[in-house]
Amino acid sequence: MLVGRDPARCAIHLTEPRVSGVHATMKIEGGTLFVRDEGSNNGVWINGERMPAGAWSKVPPNAALRFGPIQFTVAPA
């Protein structure tokens, strides 16, 4: 599932101008959330740590997940 400003491409549409058109991709495997930065300008952050672009990163339950300046808390299922 794509995350970003481009509503034609992103299922999770964020209108914040500091979020890239396609900012990140998220997926769930085996009940675990993963995120990959798609080369965004302002990064994908998990608990205050910037994730490397192009690599899948595990998002633990209750983590703070941030796309540029937009932050979410990941609640366990």
Side-chain angles (χ1 to χ4, degrees), residues 2 5-7 10-12 18 20 22-28 31 35 37 45 47 51-52 57 62 69-70 76:
L2 296 178
R5 260 192 3 260
D6 183 347
C10 298
I12 300 174
R18 291 169 288 181
S20 296
V22 175
H23 199 95
T25 302
M26 295 193 314
K27 67 179 179 179
I28 297 175
V35 65
D37 185 335
W45 303 74
N47 291 330
M51 299 297 102
S57 300
N62 301 310
I70 304 297

Side-chain angles (χ1 to χ4, degrees), residues 9-48:
R9 297 182 62 200
C10 298
I12 300 174
H13 176 229
L14 303 174
T15 59
E16 162 62 47
R18 291 169 288 181
V19 170
S20 296
V22 175
H23 199 95
T25 302
M26 295 193 314
K27 67 179 179 179
I28 297 175
E29 286 185 357
T32 300
L33 177 64
F34 291 87
V35 65
R36 180 178 65 203
D37 185 335
E38 297 296 345
S40 68
N41 289 329
N42 293 307
V44 172
W45 303 74
I46 300 173
N47 291 330

